[in-house]
Amino acid sequence: MRDIRLQVMWNRLLSVVEEQARALVRTAFSTSAREAGDISAGVFDLEGRMLAQAVTGTPGHVNSMARSVVHFLREFPAETMKPGDHFITNDPWKGTGHLYDIVITSPAFHDGKLVALFSCTTHVVDIGGLGQSPDGRQVYHEGLFIPLLPLVRQGVWDESLLRMVRANVREAVQVEGDIHALVACNLIGERRLSAMMAEHGIADLDELGAHIIERSCAGMEAAIRALPQGSWEGHMRIDGYDAPIDLRARVTIAGDHVAVDYAGTSGASAYGINCPICYTEAYTAFGVKCIVAPTIPNNAGTLDAVRVTAPEGSIVNALHPAAVNARSTIGHMLPDVVYGALHQCIPGRVPAEGTSNLWNLKLGAGHGITGPTGQPFMVTTFHSGGAGARPRQDGLSATPFPSGVRNVPVEITETVAPVVIWTKELRAGSGGAGRQRGGLGQVMEVEHRHGAPFGIFATFERVHYPARGREGGEPGAAGRLSLADGTVLKGKGFQVIPAGGRLVVEMPGGGGYGPPEERDPAAVERDIEAGLVARPLMQLSDK
């Protein structure tokens, strides 16, 4: 009976954090939260261990937030927290990896007693500095850095801090609105948790928390012990900013844990594509867990079973004050690097490489950005290329793995920014051929509504090194950024689309899986009829 009772409460706790996350999505101002779900939400015990996370959210936010709460507790010990307190940071090395993600952590009380902590994160539309570009050379170039600070003390907001935020961002209403939404999100979590505890007649989360962590840890360890034991290495070369980057991982399966060591990976970049270790840990743990134990809930008990190391000063363990704006450029590639190693020990269980890198359109205009006149704006609209083919299924098209964010509807982008999106369609033939075809990318064409110039803060990968196939599958198509007149743009860095010009974005496809000649002819015919691939030349000549 005890285990049944604890399981019921565990399920209820998962519902609590999901409602916490939904509150953030419903009240947020920016499209990254409202439309793309680029958020995280979770509940923690008084030692800072994550007990439950919302399904809504991204692994980079969730798993790095899971570590950030410990930093808050070191700065603001639990015994000093009062009802109505809320704490804030966007420290890339103590939060979620770059300045655009704001983390709020709040104490939760029940019957006057501190019982838990709630934390949440969202990606704000602007944080000042150079904008959403990887062109910065230090974190100081990239915008407003908020150290671990009190935001609200016993219900009283720090107006001086809010004034500081408003004075340093281009979209002050949206950013401040998102901060209020983050606080509201944690308040909802506290209320629902207190109601749950009252319903089940418990005064604290000690027993439930111990049960969650112990059961999750046991399940994760059992899954790891069932794997072949030993070490394997994965390697991937990607575009980088000014030079190619080599990502190397040695994956060791040893008893009750999986160790991933990034020794041999390229050193830190002079530009803002560097990745702090917290974000490296987040996506590495997610990648391992997707393959090893996908059905076990994500919490401190499972995260601790994945141990990540990387040389200090490498691009996956960049140190302050390295520029880190586009840290997802590196972080999102790490599951594919790990899968290259895991495929050697557990073949037939991991997918081919996908686009992985998000092809978000980060657009803006204004004085000093695109010219002295014109309507200023800043917008991020989330989009993605194709995912890698799976061992027994085709890859998903226009689907963001590993981030899991949603594509933003064009109607929303056209409502909040003065742009017109003339084309948004699947990119035929972009998925790598194979027994299972890689997922397709997209093609988008964008123009300023009033014919004015606008800029793109490009952070794109897979332009020079496309997603590789697996087990004989072919690579996906490389991505391409250009103007409608054929002018090719760079995959990274801020660039201006001239007045009257149209931006063309051709997103990469995922790699294929298995030899193409083994593909079911009926599947090939369906792809041709749907316009996803062209009819082979030999068939055309036969006709």
Side-chain angles (χ1 to χ4, degrees):
M1 284 297 294
R2 173 182 175 275
D3 282 354
I4 294 174
R5 176 172 166 270
L6 289 170
Q7 186 63 49
V8 169
M9 287 193 288
W10 188 354
N11 290 343
R12 180 70 178 277
L13 193 61
L14 292 169
S15 297
V16 167
V17 292
E18 189 59 33
E19 186 169 353
Q20 175 199 3
R22 292 293 178 180
L24 176 55
V25 170
R26 288 194 297 268
T27 58
F29 280 48
S30 64
T31 56
S32 57
R34 289 190 292 110
E35 305 297 333
D38 194 19
I39 67 162
S40 68
V43 62
F44 299 74
D45 69 13
L46 300 184
E47 296 179 22
R49 299 180 299 177
M50 188 169 71
L51 301 181
Q53 63 142 104
V55 173
T56 302
T58 71
H61 283 161
V62 169
N63 290 349
S64 52
M65 174 193 71
R67 307 299 190 190
S68 71
V69 173
V70 173
H71 294 295
F72 280 103
L73 286 171
R74 287 173 182 161
E75 190 75 16
F76 309 104
E79 60 270 18
T80 67
M81 295 181 178
K82 306 293 183 184
D85 285 353
H86 303 272
F87 306 94
I88 186 172
T89 194
N90 70 343
D91 183 331
W93 289 270
K94 296 178 181 176
T96 65
H98 71 169
L99 297 177
Y100 274 80
D101 289 336
I102 292 178
V103 184
I104 302 282
T105 296
S106 314
F109 290 80
H110 174 64
D111 289 341
K113 177 184 176 182
L114 179 62
V115 293
L117 300 164
F118 280 92
S119 194
C120 57
T121 311
T122 194
H123 180 108
V124 294
V125 67
D126 185 62
I127 203 67
L130 289 171
Q132 305 170 80
S133 169
D135 295 316
R137 297 301 191 96
Q138 291 184 321
V139 72
Y140 303 113
H141 300 155
E142 296 183 323
L144 179 65
F145 190 124
I146 306 171
L148 296 159
L149 289 174
L151 173 64
V152 187
R153 280 293 201 182
Q154 294 181 264
V156 179
W157 287 72
D158 187 332
E159 288 298 330
S160 296
L161 177 56
L162 290 178
R163 288 177 62 191
M164 184 70 74
V165 172
R166 288 194 293 268
N168 280 276
V169 302
R170 300 172 181 86
E171 298 281 355
V173 172
Q174 288 193 61
V175 174
E176 186 175 4
D178 281 351
I179 291 173
H180 281 270
L182 288 162
V183 169
C185 157
N186 284 353
L187 286 172
I188 289 294
E190 180 184 28
R191 292 173 188 170
R192 296 298 180 263
L193 176 64
S194 184
M196 180 201 105
M197 294 175 68
E199 180 180 332
H200 290 277
I202 58 175
D204 55 50
L205 296 181
D206 294 352
E207 184 184 20
L208 176 58
H211 174 78
I212 289 172
I213 292 173
E214 289 169 7
R215 291 294 296 272
S216 300
C217 183
M220 188 71 173
E221 289 181 3
I224 293 170
R225 292 184 191 280
L227 299 174
Q229 306 292 293
S231 295
W232 296 267
E233 295 185 359
H235 167 250
M236 179 192 297
R237 177 164 289 181
I238 61 174
D239 302 349
Y241 189 105
D242 54 342
I245 290 167
D246 287 306
L247 301 173
R248 299 183 183 277
R250 184 176 180 83
V251 178
T252 300
I253 302 171
D256 61 353
H257 70 279
V258 176
V260 182
D261 182 11
Y262 287 102
T265 289
S266 296
S269 172
Y271 296 92
I273 59 173
N274 298 295
C275 190
I277 190 66
C278 61
Y279 201 75
T280 294
E281 290 176 338
Y283 270 103
T284 302
F286 174 72
V288 170
K289 193 172 178 300
C290 281
I291 301 302
V292 174
T295 61
I296 299 175
N298 192 48
N299 54 58
T302 54
L303 290 175
D304 288 347
V306 182
R307 304 173 188 177
V308 180
T309 54
E312 290 189 349
S314 66
I315 201 164
V316 292
N317 188 4
L319 305 179
H320 185 276
V324 293
N325 192 305
R327 90 291 191 226
S328 63
T329 299
I330 302 298
H332 289 179
M333 294 295 178
L334 299 181
D336 274 343
V337 180
V338 170
Y339 291 169
L342 289 178
H343 176 68
Q344 299 168 47
C345 70
I346 45 173
R349 286 180 57 176
V350 303
E353 292 178 4
T355 301
S356 300
N357 169 243
L358 282 169
W359 275 59
N360 294 343
L361 304 190
K362 304 172 184 179
L363 308 175
H367 177 79
I369 299 177
T370 53
T373 60
Q375 176 185 345
F377 74 93
M378 194 71 67
V379 67
T380 297
T381 177
F382 286 66
H383 302 282
S384 56
R390 295 159 287 181
R392 285 170 289 280
Q393 292 178 282
D394 290 344
L396 297 169
S397 298
T399 298
F401 178 86
S403 69
V405 295
R406 297 187 297 272
N407 283 242
V408 174
V410 297
E411 296 84 357
I412 298 297
T413 303
E414 293 177 337
T415 298
V416 301
V419 298
V420 176
I421 299 175
W422 292 106
T423 301
K424 180 178 167 66
E425 61 188 17
L426 290 177
R427 183 184 176 193
S430 57
R435 185 173 59 245
Q436 281 74 45
R437 173 182 45 75
L440 275 60
Q442 305 178 63
V443 177
M444 295 182 67
E445 294 188 26
V446 186
E447 186 177 9
H448 196 289
R449 183 181 303 141
H450 308 299
F454 65 103
I456 181 166
F457 301 89
T459 56
F460 304 138
E461 272 291 339
R462 303 296 197 192
V463 174
H464 303 295
Y465 295 93
R468 295 175 297 186
R470 205 177 299 285
E471 290 293 312
E474 296 183 359
R480 188 173 186 268
L481 191 67
S482 65
L483 302 181
D485 64 8
T487 302
V488 177
L489 302 181
K490 297 182 300 182
K492 291 186 181 66
F494 177 73
Q495 296 151 95
V496 175
I497 290 80
R502 187 177 293 188
L503 177 68
V504 180
V505 185
E506 298 171 82
M507 302 182 199
Y513 198 107
E517 58 270 19
E518 294 182 4
R519 186 164 178 78
D520 182 355
V524 174
E525 195 61 34
R526 286 196 299 269
D527 283 350
I528 293 170
E529 291 177 358
L532 303 182
V533 300
R535 188 174 295 280
L537 291 176
M538 60 170 48
Q539 292 188 23
L540 290 174
S541 63
D542 289 343
K543 293 181 181 299

CSV table of all heavy atoms in Angstrom, one decimal, residues 259-297:
chain,number,residue,atom,x,y,z
A,259,ALA,N,29.7,7.4,-18.3
A,259,ALA,CA,30.7,8.5,-18.3
A,259,ALA,C,30.9,9.0,-19.7
A,259,ALA,O,31.2,8.1,-20.6
A,259,ALA,CB,32.0,8.1,-17.6
A,260,VAL,N,30.8,10.3,-19.9
A,260,VAL,CA,31.1,10.8,-21.2
A,260,VAL,C,32.2,11.9,-21.1
A,260,VAL,O,32.0,12.9,-20.4
A,260,VAL,CB,29.8,11.5,-21.8
A,260,VAL,CG1,30.1,12.0,-23.2
A,260,VAL,CG2,28.7,10.5,-21.9
A,261,ASP,N,33.3,11.6,-21.8
A,261,ASP,CA,34.5,12.5,-21.7
A,261,ASP,C,34.7,13.2,-23.1
A,261,ASP,O,34.9,12.5,-24.1
A,261,ASP,CB,35.7,11.7,-21.2
A,261,ASP,CG,36.9,12.6,-21.1
A,261,ASP,OD1,36.8,13.8,-21.1
A,261,ASP,OD2,38.0,12.1,-20.9
A,262,TYR,N,34.8,14.5,-23.1
A,262,TYR,CA,34.9,15.2,-24.4
A,262,TYR,C,36.4,15.6,-24.6
A,262,TYR,O,36.6,16.6,-25.4
A,262,TYR,CB,34.0,16.5,-24.4
A,262,TYR,CG,32.6,16.1,-24.5
A,262,TYR,CD1,31.7,16.1,-23.4
A,262,TYR,CD2,32.1,15.8,-25.8
A,262,TYR,CE1,30.4,15.8,-23.6
A,262,TYR,CE2,30.7,15.4,-25.9
A,262,TYR,CZ,29.9,15.4,-24.8
A,262,TYR,OH,28.6,15.1,-25.0
A,263,ALA,N,37.3,14.9,-24.0
A,263,ALA,CA,38.7,15.2,-24.3
A,263,ALA,C,39.0,15.0,-25.8
A,263,ALA,O,38.5,14.1,-26.5
A,263,ALA,CB,39.6,14.2,-23.5
A,264,GLY,N,39.8,16.0,-26.4
A,264,GLY,CA,40.1,15.9,-27.8
A,264,GLY,C,39.2,16.9,-28.6
A,264,GLY,O,39.4,17.1,-29.8
A,265,THR,N,38.2,17.4,-28.0
A,265,THR,CA,37.3,18.4,-28.6
A,265,THR,C,38.0,19.7,-28.9
A,265,THR,O,38.9,20.1,-28.1
A,265,THR,CB,36.0,18.6,-27.8
A,265,THR,OG1,35.2,17.4,-27.9
A,265,THR,CG2,35.2,19.7,-28.3
A,266,SER,N,37.6,20.4,-29.9
A,266,SER,CA,38.3,21.7,-30.2
A,266,SER,C,38.2,22.7,-29.1
A,266,SER,O,37.3,22.6,-28.2
A,266,SER,CB,37.6,22.3,-31.5
A,266,SER,OG,37.8,21.5,-32.6
A,267,GLY,N,39.2,23.5,-29.1
A,267,GLY,CA,39.2,24.6,-28.0
A,267,GLY,C,38.1,25.6,-28.2
A,267,GLY,O,37.4,25.7,-29.3
A,268,ALA,N,38.0,26.5,-27.3
A,268,ALA,CA,37.0,27.5,-27.3
A,268,ALA,C,37.2,28.4,-28.5
A,268,ALA,O,38.3,28.7,-29.0
A,268,ALA,CB,37.0,28.4,-26.0
A,269,SER,N,36.0,28.9,-29.1
A,269,SER,CA,36.1,29.8,-30.2
A,269,SER,C,36.3,31.3,-29.8
A,269,SER,O,35.9,31.6,-28.6
A,269,SER,CB,34.7,29.7,-31.0
A,269,SER,OG,34.6,30.7,-32.0
A,270,ALA,N,36.8,32.1,-30.7
A,270,ALA,CA,36.9,33.5,-30.4
A,270,ALA,C,35.5,34.2,-30.5
A,270,ALA,O,35.4,35.4,-30.2
A,270,ALA,CB,37.9,34.2,-31.4
A,271,TYR,N,34.5,33.4,-31.0
A,271,TYR,CA,33.1,34.0,-31.2
A,271,TYR,C,32.1,33.3,-30.2
A,271,TYR,O,32.4,32.4,-29.5
A,271,TYR,CB,32.7,33.8,-32.6
A,271,TYR,CG,33.6,34.6,-33.6
A,271,TYR,CD1,34.7,34.0,-34.2
A,271,TYR,CD2,33.3,36.0,-33.9
A,271,TYR,CE1,35.5,34.8,-35.0
A,271,TYR,CE2,34.1,36.7,-34.8
A,271,TYR,CZ,35.2,36.1,-35.3
A,271,TYR,OH,36.0,36.8,-36.2
A,272,GLY,N,30.9,33.8,-30.3
A,272,GLY,CA,29.9,33.4,-29.3
A,272,GLY,C,29.2,32.1,-29.6
A,272,GLY,O,27.9,32.0,-29.4
A,273,ILE,N,29.9,31.1,-29.9
A,273,ILE,CA,29.3,29.7,-30.1
A,273,ILE,C,29.8,28.8,-29.0
A,273,ILE,O,29.6,27.6,-29.1
A,273,ILE,CB,29.6,29.1,-31.5
A,273,ILE,CG1,31.1,29.0,-31.8
A,273,ILE,CG2,28.9,30.0,-32.6
A,273,ILE,CD1,31.5,28.3,-33.0
A,274,ASN,N,30.5,29.3,-28.0
A,274,ASN,CA,31.0,28.5,-26.9
A,274,ASN,C,29.9,28.0,-26.0
A,274,ASN,O,28.9,28.6,-25.8
A,274,ASN,CB,32.0,29.3,-26.1
A,274,ASN,CG,33.2,29.7,-27.0
A,274,ASN,OD1,34.0,28.9,-27.4
A,274,ASN,ND2,33.3,31.1,-27.2
A,275,CYS,N,30.2,26.8,-25.4
A,275,CYS,CA,29.2,26.2,-24.6
A,275,CYS,C,29.7,26.0,-23.1
A,275,CYS,O,30.7,25.3,-22.9
A,275,CYS,CB,28.9,24.8,-25.2
A,275,CYS,SG,27.4,24.0,-24.5
A,276,PRO,N,29.0,26.6,-22.1
A,276,PRO,CA,29.4,26.3,-20.8
A,276,PRO,C,29.1,24.9,-20.4
A,276,PRO,O,28.2,24.2,-21.0
A,276,PRO,CB,28.5,27.3,-20.0
A,276,PRO,CG,28.2,28.3,-20.9
A,276,PRO,CD,28.0,27.6,-22.2
A,277,ILE,N,29.8,24.3,-19.4
A,277,ILE,CA,29.7,22.9,-19.0
A,277,ILE,C,28.3,22.6,-18.6
A,277,ILE,O,27.8,21.4,-18.8
A,277,ILE,CB,30.7,22.5,-17.9
A,277,ILE,CG1,30.8,21.0,-17.8
A,277,ILE,CG2,30.4,23.3,-16.7
A,277,ILE,CD1,31.3,20.3,-18.9
A,278,CYS,N,27.5,23.5,-18.0
A,278,CYS,CA,26.2,23.2,-17.6
A,278,CYS,C,25.3,22.8,-18.7
A,278,CYS,O,24.5,21.9,-18.6
A,278,CYS,CB,25.6,24.4,-16.8
A,278,CYS,SG,25.4,25.9,-17.8
A,279,TYR,N,25.5,23.5,-19.9
A,279,TYR,CA,24.7,23.1,-21.1
A,279,TYR,C,25.1,21.9,-21.7
A,279,TYR,O,24.4,21.1,-22.3
A,279,TYR,CB,24.7,24.3,-22.0
A,279,TYR,CG,23.6,24.4,-23.0
A,279,TYR,CD1,22.3,24.8,-22.6
A,279,TYR,CD2,23.8,24.1,-24.4
A,279,TYR,CE1,21.3,24.9,-23.6
A,279,TYR,CE2,22.8,24.2,-25.3
A,279,TYR,CZ,21.5,24.6,-24.9
A,279,TYR,OH,20.5,24.7,-25.8
A,280,THR,N,26.5,21.7,-21.7
A,280,THR,CA,27.0,20.4,-22.2
A,280,THR,C,26.5,19.2,-21.4
A,280,THR,O,26.1,18.2,-22.0
A,280,THR,CB,28.6,20.4,-22.1
A,280,THR,OG1,29.0,21.5,-23.0
A,280,THR,CG2,29.2,19.1,-22.4
A,281,GLU,N,26.5,19.3,-20.1
A,281,GLU,CA,25.9,18.3,-19.2
A,281,GLU,C,24.4,18.0,-19.6
A,281,GLU,O,24.0,16.9,-19.6
A,281,GLU,CB,26.1,18.7,-17.8
A,281,GLU,CG,27.5,18.6,-17.2
A,281,GLU,CD,27.6,19.1,-15.8
A,281,GLU,OE1,26.6,19.9,-15.4
A,281,GLU,OE2,28.5,18.8,-15.1
A,282,ALA,N,23.7,19.1,-19.8
A,282,ALA,CA,22.3,19.0,-20.0
A,282,ALA,C,21.9,18.2,-21.2
A,282,ALA,O,21.1,17.2,-21.2
A,282,ALA,CB,21.6,20.4,-20.1
A,283,TYR,N,22.6,18.5,-22.4
A,283,TYR,CA,22.2,17.7,-23.6
A,283,TYR,C,22.9,16.4,-23.7
A,283,TYR,O,22.4,15.5,-24.3
A,283,TYR,CB,22.5,18.6,-24.8
A,283,TYR,CG,21.3,19.4,-25.2
A,283,TYR,CD1,21.2,20.8,-24.9
A,283,TYR,CD2,20.2,18.8,-25.7
A,283,TYR,CE1,20.1,21.5,-25.2
A,283,TYR,CE2,19.0,19.5,-26.0
A,283,TYR,CZ,19.0,20.9,-25.7
A,283,TYR,OH,17.8,21.6,-26.0
A,284,THR,N,24.0,16.2,-23.0
A,284,THR,CA,24.7,14.9,-23.0
A,284,THR,C,23.8,13.9,-22.2
A,284,THR,O,23.5,12.8,-22.7
A,284,THR,CB,26.1,15.0,-22.3
A,284,THR,OG1,26.9,15.9,-23.1
A,284,THR,CG2,26.7,13.6,-22.3
A,285,ALA,N,23.3,14.4,-21.0
A,285,ALA,CA,22.5,13.5,-20.2
A,285,ALA,C,21.2,13.2,-20.9
A,285,ALA,O,20.7,12.0,-20.9
A,285,ALA,CB,22.2,14.2,-18.9
A,286,PHE,N,20.6,14.2,-21.6
A,286,PHE,CA,19.4,13.9,-22.4
A,286,PHE,C,19.6,12.9,-23.5
A,286,PHE,O,18.8,12.0,-23.7
A,286,PHE,CB,18.9,15.2,-23.0
A,286,PHE,CG,17.7,15.0,-23.9
A,286,PHE,CD1,16.4,14.7,-23.4
A,286,PHE,CD2,17.8,15.2,-25.3
A,286,PHE,CE1,15.3,14.5,-24.2
A,286,PHE,CE2,16.7,15.0,-26.1
A,286,PHE,CZ,15.5,14.7,-25.6
A,287,GLY,N,20.7,13.0,-24.2
A,287,GLY,CA,21.0,12.1,-25.3
A,287,GLY,C,21.2,10.7,-24.8
A,287,GLY,O,20.6,9.7,-25.4
A,288,VAL,N,21.9,10.5,-23.7
A,288,VAL,CA,22.1,9.2,-23.1
A,288,VAL,C,20.8,8.6,-22.7
A,288,VAL,O,20.5,7.4,-23.0
A,288,VAL,CB,23.1,9.3,-22.0
A,288,VAL,CG1,23.1,7.9,-21.2
A,288,VAL,CG2,24.5,9.6,-22.5
A,289,LYS,N,20.0,9.4,-22.0
A,289,LYS,CA,18.8,8.9,-21.4
A,289,LYS,C,17.8,8.5,-22.5
A,289,LYS,O,17.0,7.5,-22.3
A,289,LYS,CB,18.2,9.9,-20.5
A,289,LYS,CG,17.1,9.4,-19.6
A,289,LYS,CD,16.6,10.4,-18.6
A,289,LYS,CE,15.5,9.8,-17.7
A,289,LYS,NZ,14.3,9.5,-18.6
A,290,CYS,N,17.7,9.2,-23.6
A,290,CYS,CA,16.8,8.9,-24.7
A,290,CYS,C,17.0,7.4,-25.2
A,290,CYS,O,16.1,6.8,-25.6
A,290,CYS,CB,17.0,9.8,-25.9
A,290,CYS,SG,16.2,11.4,-25.6
A,291,ILE,N,18.3,7.0,-25.1
A,291,ILE,CA,18.6,5.6,-25.6
A,291,ILE,C,18.6,4.6,-24.5
A,291,ILE,O,18.0,3.5,-24.7
A,291,ILE,CB,20.0,5.6,-26.3
A,291,ILE,CG1,20.0,6.6,-27.5
A,291,ILE,CG2,20.3,4.2,-26.8
A,291,ILE,CD1,18.9,6.4,-28.6
A,292,VAL,N,19.1,5.0,-23.4
A,292,VAL,CA,19.3,4.0,-22.3
A,292,VAL,C,18.0,3.8,-21.5
A,292,VAL,O,17.7,2.6,-21.2
A,292,VAL,CB,20.4,4.4,-21.4
A,292,VAL,CG1,20.6,3.5,-20.2
A,292,VAL,CG2,21.8,4.5,-22.2
A,293,ALA,N,17.3,4.8,-21.1
A,293,ALA,CA,16.2,4.7,-20.3
A,293,ALA,C,15.1,5.7,-20.6
A,293,ALA,O,14.8,6.6,-19.7
A,293,ALA,CB,16.6,4.8,-18.8
A,294,PRO,N,14.5,5.7,-21.7
A,294,PRO,CA,13.6,6.8,-22.1
A,294,PRO,C,12.3,6.8,-21.3
A,294,PRO,O,11.6,7.9,-21.3
A,294,PRO,CB,13.3,6.4,-23.6
A,294,PRO,CG,13.6,5.0,-23.7
A,294,PRO,CD,14.7,4.7,-22.8
A,295,THR,N,11.9,5.7,-20.7
A,295,THR,CA,10.6,5.7,-20.0
A,295,THR,C,10.7,6.1,-18.5
A,295,THR,O,9.7,6.2,-17.8
A,295,THR,CB,10.0,4.3,-20.1
A,295,THR,OG1,10.8,3.3,-19.5
A,295,THR,CG2,9.7,4.0,-21.6
A,296,ILE,N,11.9,6.2,-18.0
A,296,ILE,CA,12.1,6.6,-16.6
A,296,ILE,C,12.0,8.1,-16.4
A,296,ILE,O,12.7,8.8,-17.1
A,296,ILE,CB,13.4,6.0,-16.0
A,296,ILE,CG1,13.5,4.5,-16.1
A,296,ILE,CG2,13.6,6.4,-14.6
A,296,ILE,CD1,14.8,3.9,-15.7
A,297,PRO,N,11.2,8.6,-15.5
A,297,PRO,CA,11.1,10.0,-15.3
A,297,PRO,C,12.4,10.7,-15.1
A,297,PRO,O,13.3,10.1,-14.4
A,297,PRO,CB,10.1,10.2,-14.1
A,297,PRO,CG,9.4,8.9,-14.1
A,297,PRO,CD,10.3,7.8,-14.6
